[in-house]
Amino acid sequence: MDPTGPDSDLYRDPDEQRHIVAAMTERIERDPNDAQAYFRRGNAFSNLHQYEQAKLDMDRVIELEPTHVMAHNNRGVAHLCSGDAPAAIADLGRAIELDPTYRDAYLNRGLAYWEVNRLDAAIADLSRAIEIDPACWSAYHHRGMVYSVQGDQDASFRDYLKARALRGES
């Protein structure tokens, strides 16, 4: 299953997210070492904007499976969403160390760098995400926004057009 596709937890409604939290909590009660249950529950908490709970679950996943790349990435996103960009950068950097081809970690770390005004680093990471996946419209979209902040309107507009084309917008 595509982790970002329409069947993923990311696109489910809040009631479904709460159902996932309840179901995974039951699994965790039966087996407190079920890393996958913590991971799914953490993602549901994140989708419900309950980032502190999401971080706690990702902490547990990482405790159980220290090389779980997506847990490092997702905890980094939870840090970013809760306003702790430096912690996000650290977690996302660890995800990249574990898997240097993980597009989403570069994309997310680029956003975290942007948050702390490290614009050149943001562009480098967003560009790396594009190198890994040239069809990643979100990387073009966000890189274009960073270019705009830097005052490079030509590069910003090129990325804006590319993002629109990749999304199928005219």
Side-chain angles (χ1 to χ4, degrees), residues 78-94:
H79 282 303
L80 185 59
C81 291
S82 59
D84 190 353
I89 290 167
D91 269 337
L92 296 162
R94 180 65 179 135

Side-chain angles (χ1 to χ4, degrees), residues 69-70 73-74 95-96 99-107 132:
V69 176
M70 291 180 71
N73 178 78
N74 294 7
I96 290 166
D99 182 356
T101 65
Y102 188 28
R103 178 202 72 189
D104 289 350
Y106 285 101
L107 173 65
I132 293 166

Side-chain angles (χ1 to χ4, degrees), residues 12-43:
R12 295 185 179 165
D13 69 36
D15 288 335
E16 289 181 77
Q17 297 302 311
R18 286 187 282 278
H19 175 76
I20 291 168
V21 167
M24 294 304 104
T25 298
E26 288 178 16
R27 275 181 52 180
I28 291 165
E29 288 170 357
R30 286 192 305 273
D31 179 2
N33 294 316
D34 185 341
Q36 183 63 24
Y38 281 102
F39 184 76
R40 288 207 56 218
R41 188 175 75 173
N43 286 339

Side-chain angles (χ1 to χ4, degrees), residues 88-152:
I89 290 167
D91 269 337
L92 296 162
R94 180 65 179 135
I96 290 166
E97 287 173 17
L98 292 168
D99 182 356
T101 65
Y102 188 28
R103 178 202 72 189
D104 289 350
Y106 285 101
L107 173 65
N108 294 324
R109 192 173 69 173
L111 297 177
Y113 279 140
W114 181 12
E115 188 71 25
V116 296
N117 207 34
R118 292 180 56 191
L119 303 181
D120 289 337
I123 286 174
D125 273 2
L126 294 166
S127 296
R128 181 66 181 124
I130 291 166
E131 288 172 19
I132 293 166
D133 180 4
C136 182
W137 71 267
S138 183
Y140 283 101
H141 171 80
H142 288 100
R143 188 178 70 175
M145 293 172 70
V146 176
Y147 278 137
S148 180
V149 169
Q150 285 187 318
D152 189 343

